Amino acid sequence: MSDKRIKIVEKIFDANDRLAQQNRQRFDDSNTYAINLMASPGAGKTTFILATINAMLDSNVRIGVIEGDTAPVTIDSDKIAAAGMPAIQVNTGGQCHMDALMVESALEQLSLEELDLVIVENVGNLICPASFDLGTHSKIVIASVPEGDDKPYKYPNIYRGLDVLIINKIDLLPYLDFDMDYFRQGVEMLNPGLETFALSSKTGEGLESWLTWLKNKLPQ
Amino acid sequence: MHELSVTESILEIACRHAEQAQAARVTDVHLVIGRLSSIIDDSVQFYWDLISKETLCEDARLHFKRTPAILTCQDCHQEFELTTELTPCPNCGSARIRVLSGDEFNIESIEIERKS
C-alpha cells in the first residue's frame, strides 16, 4: 500500500459560485436586473422593497421578489404580493443565509422574462450572506441607524463586496447617538468610494437618489 | 455561521478527488483559511466527524492552515497586516485601504492510502 498526497487547491465555495454564474446568465438572458439585498434583522429590508415598489408603480417596471427566511413564514411575501408584485417565499430550513441553489429553485417559480427587476431579500444576518454569491448583478446592504455606527468595524466582510450601501431610518438620527462620520470612515476603509444612499423608507426622504440609481440599471 | 454547508462542500471535494485517484481512504485533508474568512475550526471539525462517517473520508484528519490578511494603502501603497481590528493606514493614516489577501478558503491537498 502506498501513501500519497494529492494536490487539489480548489475553492470550497466553487460549487456555489458556478451555480451563481448560471443564475446570472439566466437573468441576463431575460434582460432582468437582479439585486441581492442583505441586512441585519429589523434593518427595514421589506419596508425598503415596498417603498421602492410603490415609488415605481407608475413607471411600469415589473418587479419580482424572492424572500428568504429561516422559518416557514410568509409574512414578507404576503406584503409584497399585497403590493401587486410576484413574490416567492424561500424557507432556508434554519440556514443562516441564501445560496445560489435556493435562488435557482426560486427562479423556477418566477416568470423571469416578464420581469425587469428581481430583488432577493436575503436572510437577516450580517455575516453569512456575505460569503455566498447568488448570481445577482449587484449586492446591496441596508444599514439602519438604530443598529449603531460601529457595524462596518464589527462586520467588515459584508461591506467589502458591496456595490451599494443604503443607510436607512435617517428620520431617527435626531434621537440617536449615531456618528455618521465614524460610520462612513469604517465603510470607506472597507470599500473606498462605495455608492451610498442615506434615506428613510418610512418618510421617503432621500429615496429619490436611490430610485435614480436603480432606474439607470434597469433595461431601457 | 454556515459551517455545516461548508463542511459538506469540503467532503464533496475531498471524496471526488479521492475517487478519481482510486483511493482506499483519505487520511488527511489540508485546508487553507484566510484570516478574513469567518470559519470556526472546531465547528467544521464537529460536523466533519458526523458527516464523513461511511465515506472515503471517515477518520481523516483535518488540518487548518490560517493565512494572514494583507492590506494595502491606496494612497501611499504601504502594505500591512491586519492585526486586531480594522485601522487606517499605519504609515499615512489614509482610510483608502484595499484587501490583498486573507479571503482564501481552499482545500489545498488530501493525503490518501491507495488500494493495494
Side-chain angles (χ1 to χ4, degrees):
Chain A
M1 195 174 287
S2 67
D3 291 356
K4 199 180 171 205
R5 186 165 177 141
I6 301 175
K7 204 159 175 58
I8 295 180
V9 193
E10 191 165 320
K11 278 173 66 185
I12 288 161
F13 287 117
D14 251 9
N16 182 75
D17 291 351
R18 274 197 302 273
L19 212 49
Q21 197 49 46
Q22 287 173 25
N23 289 345
R24 198 154 13 245
Q25 189 63 50
R26 286 179 71 173
F27 287 124
D28 286 343
D29 289 347
S30 55
N31 208 13
T32 306
Y33 190 74
I35 291 172
N36 175 7
L37 185 64
M38 301 174 283
S40 57
K45 292 184 292 299
T46 310
T47 307
F48 173 74
I49 293 172
L50 287 170
T52 302
I53 289 176
N54 286 330
M56 295 182 96
L57 279 180
D58 297 337
S59 59
N60 289 324
V61 173
R62 295 155 304 171
I63 306 172
V65 179
I66 299 173
E67 290 285 347
D69 269 301
T70 60
V73 291
T74 58
I75 299 166
D76 288 349
S77 56
D78 290 349
K79 287 180 188 165
I80 305 294
M85 296 292 172
I88 306 297
Q89 185 79 38
V90 176
N91 174 13
T92 67
Q95 190 150 263
C96 46
H97 61 273
M98 295 192 74
D99 60 31
L101 184 64
M102 291 176 199
V103 171
E104 186 196 38
S105 42
L107 290 183
E108 299 299 330
Q109 304 168 59
L110 275 180
S111 308
L112 262 195
E113 57 288 345
E114 292 170 13
L115 298 173
D116 304 303
L117 171 65
V118 166
I119 302 176
V120 182
E121 181 179 339
N122 217 311
V123 177
N125 181 339
L126 287 179
I127 306 169
C128 314
S131 301
F132 292 84
D133 184 8
L134 304 182
T136 58
H137 298 101
S138 61
K139 294 192 223 171
I140 300 183
V141 158
I142 302 180
S144 66
V145 294
E147 294 166 52
D149 49 26
D150 57 0
K151 290 301 162 288
Y153 302 87
K154 288 188 171 175
Y155 301 92
N157 279 356
I158 201 149
Y159 283 90
R160 286 178 41 225
L162 277 192
D163 303 293
V164 173
L165 173 65
I166 305 290
I167 304 175
N168 193 20
K169 307 190 189 180
I170 57 167
D171 50 313
L172 296 179
L173 277 173
Y175 312 102
L176 301 166
D177 296 323
F178 185 92
D179 183 338
M180 188 63 86
D181 291 338
Y182 177 67
F183 176 85
R184 282 184 182 262
Q185 190 198 40
V187 175
E188 183 65 16
M189 283 194 283
L190 295 159
N191 198 327
L194 176 63
E195 191 90 58
T196 303
F197 301 103
L199 53 84
S200 164
S201 302
K202 184 180 163 126
T203 67
E205 182 186 355
L207 205 60
E208 206 48 52
S209 319
W210 148 249
L211 293 169
T212 304
W213 181 92
L214 180 61
K215 283 173 186 164
N216 279 326
K217 296 289 176 190
L218 297 179
Q220 302 300 314
Chain B
M1 54 188 278
H2 40 264
E3 270 74 3
L4 176 55
S5 51
V6 157
T7 312
E8 286 169 340
S9 293
I10 297 170
L11 183 65
E12 185 273 321
I13 296 170
C15 284
R16 175 157 44 83
H17 284 272
E19 271 168 35
Q20 278 168 13
Q22 300 192 316
R25 60 179 287 253
V26 177
T27 58
D28 299 85
V29 177
H30 295 268
L31 305 169
V32 175
I33 304 178
R35 201 183 172 288
L36 295 171
S37 292
S38 34
I39 298 290
I40 314 287
D41 300 4
D42 285 350
S43 179
V44 171
Q45 184 72 57
F46 172 79
Y47 286 120
W48 178 258
D49 294 342
L50 286 175
I51 68 173
S52 64
K53 282 202 168 56
E54 293 171 25
T55 72
L56 284 174
C57 291
E58 182 162 6
D59 295 328
R61 285 180 296 272
L62 291 181
H63 303 268
F64 299 89
K65 187 167 104 189
R66 289 273 168 182
T67 53
I70 306 295
L71 311 175
T72 181
C73 172
Q74 300 195 63
D75 287 321
C76 75
H77 306 290
Q78 169 91 16
E79 283 187 20
F80 57 102
E81 189 180 328
L82 181 73
T83 47
T84 46
E85 66 177 76
L86 200 63
T87 53
C89 171
N91 186 42
C92 74
S94 165
R96 300 196 329 118
I97 287 162
R98 197 160 57 83
V99 174
L100 288 183
S101 67
D103 281 327
E104 302 81 3
F105 188 34
N106 304 325
I107 292 196
E108 191 180 51
S109 62
I110 57 174
E111 289 173 56
I112 60 167
E113 283 173 7
R114 291 211 184 270
K115 291 171 185 160
S116 50

